[in-house]
Amino acid sequence: MTESFSFDGWSHGDHVASCPGCEAAIALLDGPGTAVEPPPTLREAVLSRARRRRGPAAAGVASVALPYAEQVAFMDGLLAELSAPQWEAPIDRHGTVRGLVEHLAANDATVAGLMGVPGGGGLMGAAATSPHRRWRDQAGALLERLSAGSEVLLGVEVALAGTRPARAPLRQALVQRAFETWTHADDIRAATGRPPSPPRPEHVHRIAEFGLALLPRAMKGPRRAVSATVVLTGPGGGTWTVPLSPASDHVAVLLSADAVGFCRLLAGRWPPGSFPYAAEGDPVLARDMITAAATLGCDR
């Protein structure tokens, strides 16, 4: 680093002797492994500048943005690893990995549009840009604008992705964005010989809760005036009582299953006919619930 330095006749040694910044850098790079303590004011200076540029997200906003941000980071890293042939690896429903990423960006666009992020034009309209870059730029802009917004925005309704028309508050739509990003990342992992990677348990819990809230509307036939208790086990599990109609005052079935497996069922990645679950009470109602749950994915 210092071998060829010369400026106005100064040797590198002369410059380093008169420049504390370079002296510290060289100590870090060329030292014999001894840790060099950073200046005591450095941390606060960096944080202060960061706060002036953009304040921290509100606590409520951060809590719903984090699962999505984490899955975006995982997907981003995964896509960056793919070889050119792997981008053309076949994937059910979307043809190839490339087609799946374009589908994901299109589903993200509804929420991005609510946040004022350009969709069909702008970020998504540059044909010469790779699908990875277009998806990542849109997701990054969405998260940046979200982090600068208030918690009031989380209550604004937006259209959810999927074959069933539905609307929900932005806080729920962000759970769906995290859910779909994870699902498609696992699709890509499977298509390219990589192992699946479930979200953190607390994020699995949010995804399961999101799906269970949509379940009554997804069930076919007249609604019965009953409820169902759903017990999901393993990381991210929990217990929910799901009213299947507004006037439900009787629990007709207790259904239990693995939490991560149930999320895969919600995504349409586990055929309902082979999904492992246990039920006490009405077996027909339990089967109808499992069948309906498998229709709540974001593919279209």
Side-chain angles (χ1 to χ4, degrees), residues 35-168:
V36 177
E37 191 71 22
T41 58
L42 178 62
R43 181 177 186 275
E44 185 53 39
V46 171
L47 290 176
S48 176
R49 184 169 182 178
R51 291 188 194 104
R52 288 197 303 271
R53 183 172 180 181
R54 185 177 68 192
V61 171
S63 69
V64 296
L66 178 60
Y68 178 52
E70 193 163 280
Q71 291 306 317
V72 165
F74 290 150
M75 175 69 95
D76 189 30
L78 173 62
L79 295 179
E81 294 175 359
L82 298 183
S83 64
Q86 286 176 329
W87 274 93
E88 308 308 323
I91 283 189
D92 289 344
R93 304 175 178 88
H94 305 293
T96 64
V97 170
R98 182 181 305 277
L100 181 148
V101 175
E102 290 170 348
H103 155 83
L104 177 60
N107 276 356
D108 286 346
T110 300
V111 177
L114 176 68
M115 302 303 301
V117 176
L123 294 175
M124 298 303 299
T129 307
S130 72
H132 178 189
R133 179 64 182 273
R134 293 199 301 273
W135 163 78
R136 185 61 182 86
D137 284 354
Q138 178 178 254
L142 190 167
L143 283 164
E144 184 172 351
R145 296 194 183 190
L146 178 69
S147 68
S150 72
E151 293 188 31
V152 174
L153 189 62
L154 299 178
V156 176
E157 284 203 342
V158 62
L160 297 177
T163 57
R164 296 176 175 275
R167 296 182 66 82

Side-chain angles (χ1 to χ4, degrees), residues 2 26 29-30 49 60 62 79 100 104 109 123 172 175 197 212 239 252 265:
T2 59
I26 290 172
L29 294 172
D30 297 338
R49 184 169 182 178
L79 295 179
L100 181 148
L104 177 60
L123 294 175
Q172 292 299 95
V175 175
S197 179
L212 288 170
T239 300
L265 174 74

